C-alpha cells in the first residue's frame, strides 16, 4: 500500500519504508475509513472560509482574504478526494470493468493542479502588495488566523496515519498541513506588523508560504501524473519482482511483465511465465499469495506457457 515515499517531513513511519517486509495483505488503510475525516474537514473548512472572507474584508487584510481563497481550493480538493474514495468503492460494471478506481488518481491529479494555481494567485497578490503596502487591522487577523491554525492542524492530524498508504489521503494531509502553516504565517505577520509597523512583512510571508505550497504541490503532481501514466508505483521495484517470478520453481523465463496502479492504493500485475513442466492451480495461487505478501500486489493475472517461443509478446521490445 505504500506508493509514495513521501517528503522530507514524512519521517515518522520509517518501518513502512521496506516494501519487502510488508506482511499486512489486507487493505489496512483504504480511504473508506477516512470518510468521516473528509466530512469533518470539508465542513469545518467551508465554515472557516466564510469567516475569513467576512473578517478579512472588514480588517482590510489581504493575507486573510488570500488565505480564504487558498482554503476554498482545499475544500474543493477535499470534496474531490472524498468523492473519488467513494467512487473507488463502487462495483465494476460491464462498461467499467475495474469499477471507478482510477477516479482516485484523476482526483489526486486535479488536486495537485489546484495547489499550483493557488500558489500563482498568492504570489501575484503578494507582489502587488509589495508595490503598494496597505494598513491592516491586526488583532482581528490574529484571532481569525489563529482559529485557522487549530482547525487545519486538527484536520491534518486526522489524515496523518493514512498519508503513506493513499495518494488522496496524502493530498488531503498536505493541504491541511500547508494550511495550518499558512494561517500560522498570517498570525506571525500580523503580530510583527503591529509591533514594528513594517507593512511589507504581510506580502513577504505570503511569498514564503507560496514557495512551501509549490514544493508540496509539485511532489503530488509528479506522483499522480506517474500513476496516471501507468508507471510502476513508488515502493515497488520491477527488477525485484522479475527476479522473484523468474526464481519460482520450474519457471524458465518471464516476459510481458507489467505493474501499474489501479487506484491510489491498489496495485495490479500481469506477466507471462514460461514453465515447460506445465502448471496447476496450486502453483498459481502460491504465486499470487507471494506477490500479495511480498510486494503488496493484490491483483495479479498470470499466463503460464509450456513453450515461450510461440508467444508473440515474448521479445523484449514488445509491450
Amino acid at each position: 500500500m505504500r506508493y509514495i515515499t513521501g517528503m522530507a517531513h514524512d519521517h515518522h513511519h520509517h518501518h513502512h519504508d521496506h516494501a519487502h517486509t510488508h506482511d499486512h495483505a489486507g487493505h489496512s488503510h483504504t480511504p473508506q475509513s477516512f470518510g468521516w475525516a473528509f466530512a469533518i474537514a470539508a465542513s469545518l473548512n467551508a465554515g472557516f472560509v466564510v469567516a475569513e472572507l467576512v473578517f478579512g474584508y472588514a480588517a482590510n487584510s489581504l493575507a486573510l482574504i488570500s488565505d480564504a481563497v487558498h482554503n476554498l481550493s482545499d475544500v474543493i480538493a477535499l470534496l474531490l478526494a472524498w468523492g473519488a474514495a467513494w467512487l473507488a468503492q463502487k462495483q465494476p460494471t460491464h462498461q467499467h470493468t475495474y469499477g471507478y478506481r482510477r477516479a482516485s488518481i484523476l482526483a489526486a491529479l486535479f488536486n495537485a493542479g489546484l495547489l499550483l494555481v493557488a500558489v500563482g494567485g498568492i504570489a501575484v497578490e503578494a507582489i502587488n502588495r509589495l508595490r503598494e503596502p496597505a494598513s491592516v487591522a491586526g488583532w482581528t487577523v490574529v484571532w481569525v488566523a489563529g482559529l485557522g491554525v487549530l482547525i487545519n492542524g486538527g484536520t491534518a492530524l486526522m489524515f496523518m496515519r493514512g498519508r503513506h498508504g493513499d495518494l488522496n489521503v496524502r493530498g488531503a494531509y498536505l493541504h491541511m498541513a500547508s494550511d495550518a502553516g499558512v494561517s500560522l504565517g498570517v498570525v506571525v505577520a500580523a503580530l510583527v506588523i503591529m509591533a514594528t509597523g513594517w507593512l511589507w512583512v504581510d506580502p513577504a510571508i505570503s511569498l514564503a508560504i507560496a514557495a512551501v505550497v509549490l514544493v508540496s504541490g509539485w511532489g503530488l503532481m509528479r506522483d499522480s501524473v506517474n500513476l496516471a501514466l501507468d508507471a510502476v508505483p513508488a515502493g515497488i521495484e520491477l527488477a525485484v519482482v522479475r527476479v522473484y517470478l523468474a526464481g519460482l520453481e520450474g519457471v524458465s523465463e518471464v516476459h510481458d511483465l507489467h505493474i501499474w496502479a489501479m487506484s491510489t492504493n491498489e496495485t495490479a500485475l500481469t506477466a507471462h511465465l514460461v514453465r515447460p513442466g506445465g502448471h496447476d492451480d496450486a502453483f498459481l495461487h502460491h504465486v499470487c499469495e507471494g506477490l500479495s505478501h511480498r510486494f503488496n500486489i493484490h491483483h495479479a493475472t498470470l499466463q503460464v506457457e509450456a513453450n515461450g517461443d510461440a508467444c508473440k509478446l515474448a521479445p523484449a521490445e514488445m509491450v
Side-chain angles (χ1 to χ4, degrees):
M1 228 143 293
R2 185 138 190 331
Y3 272 170
I4 309 304
T5 346
M7 288 145 129
H9 58 259
D10 288 358
H11 47 241
H12 299 291
H13 289 34
H14 272 317
H15 57 281
H16 277 336
D17 278 299
H18 312 293
H20 52 272
T21 56
H22 264 194
D23 43 10
H24 48 262
H27 298 250
S28 54
H29 14 244
T30 33
Q32 71 264 32
S33 57
F34 288 95
W36 55 273
F38 281 121
I40 294 169
S43 43
L44 277 177
N45 271 278
F48 181 56
V49 166
V50 175
E52 275 194 311
L53 286 173
V54 171
F55 286 106
Y57 186 72
N60 187 33
S61 165
L62 171 75
L64 274 188
I65 292 170
S66 60
D67 194 25
V69 172
H70 177 50
N71 275 306
L72 183 62
S73 81
D74 282 10
V75 174
I76 297 167
L78 281 169
L79 292 174
L80 274 171
W82 188 17
W86 172 74
L87 276 175
Q89 308 307 316
K90 286 178 76 70
Q91 291 305 305
T93 63
H94 291 304
Q95 196 95 51
H96 298 96
T97 58
Y98 278 119
Y100 295 88
R101 290 184 165 90
R102 180 145 286 183
S104 60
I105 295 175
L106 296 178
L109 197 54
F110 193 83
N111 214 334
L114 265 181
L115 263 182
L116 300 180
V117 169
V119 167
I122 295 170
V124 168
E125 212 38 82
I127 290 164
N128 286 341
R129 269 277 162 119
L130 280 172
R131 300 213 316 255
E132 296 171 27
S135 61
V136 179
W139 283 113
T140 313
V141 180
V142 170
W143 293 122
V144 177
L147 179 65
V149 176
L150 291 177
I151 289 178
N152 290 312
T155 45
L157 289 175
M158 293 195 299
F159 292 110
M160 189 153 167
R161 68 190 170 84
R163 72 177 189 279
H164 285 294
D166 186 317
L167 197 58
N168 263 318
V169 175
R170 167 142 170 263
Y173 167 75
L174 283 175
H175 269 241
M176 297 295 100
S178 77
D179 276 14
V182 168
S183 297
L184 186 62
V186 173
V187 171
V188 171
L191 289 171
V192 170
I193 290 169
M194 285 192 291
T196 60
W198 300 337
L199 294 177
W200 56 265
V201 170
D202 174 36
I205 290 271
S206 303
L207 282 175
I209 288 160
V212 171
V213 179
L214 178 66
V215 171
S216 62
W218 188 254
L220 193 63
M221 177 68 90
R222 190 192 54 226
D223 292 332
S224 46
V225 165
N226 273 334
L227 293 193
L229 291 174
D230 282 336
V232 177
I236 297 178
E237 291 283 330
L238 185 85
V240 177
V241 178
R242 182 184 289 281
V243 166
Y244 166 72
L245 291 172
L248 291 166
E249 185 214 345
V251 172
S252 62
E253 190 204 327
V254 178
H255 57 260
D256 198 32
L257 172 61
H258 297 280
I259 304 175
W260 73 97
M262 288 160 65
S263 75
T264 48
N265 64 354
E266 288 173 282
T267 306
L269 169 150
T270 57
H272 291 194
L273 306 178
V274 180
R275 198 170 193 249
H279 73 291
D280 55 7
D281 288 353
F283 170 74
L284 288 178
H285 293 317
H286 164 71
V287 180
C288 291
E289 188 59 44
L291 287 169
S292 174
H293 192 74
R294 284 167 181 244
F295 304 106
N296 248 10
I297 296 170
H298 302 303
H299 193 109
T301 307
L302 302 166
Q303 174 170 317
V304 183
E305 299 158 359
N307 175 7
D309 300 341
C311 182
K312 286 194 177 73
L313 293 171
E317 66 275 6
M318 294 301 293
V319 169

